[in-house]
Every structure is written in C-alpha cells, then in structure tokens.
Amino acid sequence: MVQAQRYIAEGYNIVVDLDLEKFFDRVNHDGLMARVAARVTDKRVLKLIRAFLKAGVMEGGLARPADEGTPQGGPLSPILSNLVLDDLDKDLTRRGHRFCRYADDCNIYVRSRRAGDRVMTSVSRYLTQQLRLKVNEAKSAVARPEERKFLGFSISNDGSERRIAPKALDKFKAKIRDLTCRTRGLSLQQIVDDLVPYLLGWRGYFGFCQPPRVLTNLEAWIRRRLRMYLWRQWSNGPNRFKELRRRGVPKFHAAVAAGSPTGFWRMSGHPAVQQALRNHAFDSLGLPRLYVTAQA
C-alpha cells in the first residue's frame, strides 16, 4: 500500500484495477504443478501440494473433488497464485509499468485515462492469450484511486492518505455486532475475551490507515456497543440503579437513568452510563485499542 501511495503521489494517479474472474477456481493443476516443480525438487513436497489441490471443497456438508483451482482462503493459495502470475509481473516490469500485486489483486498506475485504457486492453489480452486467465470486465476498471479499493484500502487521489475501504469497515462492524449481540448471555469479560483476537488481528492489518481518526471513532463505537450490552444485562430499573451507584454515579442521576424508558442504544450514550463505564474500565478488562501511536 505504501508503494501504491508513492506511485500516486508521483503523478501516476489513474489506476488500472484488474479483477481476474474466478481466479482461484480456474487455475490449471498440471500447469501449476509444472511451475512448482521447476522450483521445488523434493518429491514429498510436490506430492503434498498436489494433495492440497485435489482435496476439494465442502458444499452442503459434502466433499466435492477439484480438478482445477486452488482452495480460496487456503494458506498455500496466495503463494501458488504468485507462481502463476510471476510471468505477469515480469511482463509488466519489462514494459516499465508501475504496479502493485498481491495474489490475484493487481493495480497498475498510469498518468492518464487514455494510457489506462491502452494498458487495460493490452494486459487483458496478455492474461487471456498467454496465461489462459479471464479478466472480469464488470469488476475491472480504469479510474481514480479514490474510486477503487486495493486489499481493503482506498487511496486518496493525491496519494496523501490510505483509507479503509467502506466494504472493509462494513464487514468489521458486522463482526463486532455479532460478537456483542445483546442476547449472547455471557459476562462482559467473556465478550471482551472473544473480541480480543479479532481486534488484534484486524488492527495488525488496518492499524496503519490514514488518518487515524477512523480508528478512534471505531474504538468509541465498540465501547458504546459494550455499554449497551451491559445495560441490557442489568435488565431492570432497581438493578440498573444499584449498578450505576456502585460505579460512582450520583444518586439523582442514577435514578433518572435507571427509570428512563429510552431504548438500549440511546441509553448506551447516556451521561450516567458513560460515567459508570468510562474508557479505563474497558482497558482494565483487556479491550485492545485500535489506534496505537507507534503504528501511526
């Protein structure tokens, strides 16, 4: 992503975004194994990779054998895809193009839309004729960087910022909603424990976005989800009053909040609830921060 930003900042601010149609489903096993065998001589390793490719996939609880393709999401698939697309990298380098690729995601950076259209046509022809792959025309495009996403990020048109793509944010929020579902019936500590591995993994990938305010906003949103979860668990007015008082909320404010008919989400933002469940309370439970200064 950093290299893509550099290209855009240098004036290559049109992106040729190539999407390979069902790439992981269509890779030819024999051709792929020939490429692996050119680099790996250990027959045991070759046999293991062939077994990985032939393992098939589960559909409706039944195993379906695979005659082509690599298991999408499998640990070896990105490495094997690099072998298949190594020729593409060499061809783009030979042409002098500025590009970034990871597995089947490839973006090429040019200075104008006219150049982008030419590159899209020529590279699509190369992929089809030389590598026997098909470009998904509906999902590929020549566009400004802000209009496209690459590996879950979008980059500003001047290259100054790398932002988390909207779809990646939506996926993150959907996962957090699932983990903090009000009907799970677990303790707050258990909910936090479930959140920790997901948040740490997500932060490790998206934690270097720019600007970081999106991360601090997400932190606040997660804490509010947890306040809502706990407010529902407290279940009734007397218990809510007791819990607020136990956490230092003045008697009058605790009584007003506990007697409020307002819904769970709105109450999670109530001053009395926020006073009872300050940020440090979640820190003490081990809830990770998404924005860490050292990562910025």
Side-chain angles (χ1 to χ4, degrees):
M1 292 305 302
V2 174
Q3 183 60 66
Q5 278 185 273
R6 292 195 186 106
Y7 289 148
I8 296 168
E10 290 169 2
Y12 296 87
N13 52 10
I14 296 294
V15 59
V16 180
D17 186 2
L18 291 163
D19 184 274
L20 299 179
E21 187 171 306
K22 296 183 178 179
F23 173 77
F24 288 101
D25 296 334
R26 293 183 172 177
V27 173
N28 180 270
H29 286 178
D30 292 334
L32 176 55
M33 288 306 302
R35 291 172 181 270
V36 175
R39 293 169 171 81
V40 178
T41 58
D42 191 325
K43 292 184 178 181
R44 294 171 301 176
V45 174
L46 295 175
K47 185 177 180 180
L48 186 62
I49 294 175
R50 173 73 77 168
F52 170 79
L53 294 174
K54 292 292 186 182
V57 294
M58 294 291 291
E59 289 184 347
L62 299 175
R64 178 175 64 82
D67 297 320
E68 61 179 0
T70 68
Q72 189 164 3
L76 273 181
S77 292
I79 298 174
L80 297 176
S81 69
N82 282 336
L83 290 177
V84 175
L85 294 173
D86 184 55
D87 288 346
L88 173 63
D89 294 347
K90 291 176 180 177
D91 186 69
L92 293 176
T93 300
R94 179 182 59 80
R95 299 187 197 191
H97 287 311
R98 290 153 179 81
F99 68 96
C100 292
R101 184 183 65 78
Y102 179 80
D104 63 327
D105 289 328
C106 182
N107 280 359
I108 306 168
Y109 300 91
V110 296
R111 290 187 182 274
S112 69
R113 288 185 182 270
R114 181 177 295 181
D117 291 336
R118 288 198 305 267
V119 170
M120 176 67 80
T121 300
S122 63
V123 174
S124 296
R125 185 186 305 118
Y126 175 83
L127 288 166
T128 302
Q129 296 179 356
Q130 301 298 320
L131 300 184
R132 298 182 181 180
L133 298 171
K134 185 176 181 181
V135 174
N136 188 329
E137 295 182 3
K139 293 185 178 181
S140 300
V142 176
R144 299 280 278 175
E146 285 186 357
E147 300 169 14
R148 309 298 294 178
K149 69 178 182 66
F150 181 55
L151 302 178
F153 288 90
S154 63
I155 302 176
S156 61
N157 290 333
D158 61 359
S160 62
E161 294 180 350
R162 52 181 176 269
R163 305 162 183 164
I164 303 173
K167 285 186 177 179
L169 284 175
D170 290 343
K171 183 178 179 181
F172 172 80
K173 286 191 171 184
K175 180 66 174 180
I176 297 302
R177 288 190 182 98
D178 181 57
L179 291 173
T180 60
C181 178
R182 296 175 308 193
T183 58
R184 292 193 69 191
L186 302 175
S187 70
L188 186 62
Q189 183 65 68
Q190 288 174 305
I191 294 293
V192 170
D193 290 345
D194 287 348
L195 285 170
V196 168
Y198 180 73
L199 292 178
L200 290 178
W202 192 89
R203 185 183 73 186
Y205 187 84
F206 288 105
F208 74 124
C209 68
Q210 301 166 322
R213 64 176 174 271
V214 65
L215 300 178
T216 55
N217 289 341
L218 287 174
E219 287 177 359
W221 177 77
I222 293 169
R223 288 191 294 266
R224 187 166 178 180
R225 290 281 309 176
L226 294 173
R227 291 185 184 104
M228 180 178 68
Y229 182 87
L230 202 55
W231 187 252
R232 185 185 187 280
Q233 269 202 342
W234 291 345
S235 72
N236 57 58
N239 193 49
R240 287 168 179 165
F241 176 80
K242 181 186 71 174
E243 293 291 347
L244 291 174
R245 287 289 292 143
R246 189 164 68 86
R247 288 167 171 79
V249 178
K251 186 174 182 179
F252 174 77
H253 297 300
V256 170
S260 174
T262 304
F264 298 131
W265 177 249
R266 287 187 61 188
M267 282 306 300
S268 66
H270 192 282
V273 178
Q274 292 198 353
Q275 180 182 350
L277 300 166
R278 296 186 186 276
N279 295 358
H280 66 78
F282 299 107
D283 292 336
S284 66
L285 292 172
L287 183 70
R289 297 287 183 128
L290 296 179
Y291 175 56
V292 179
T293 305
Q295 293 183 346

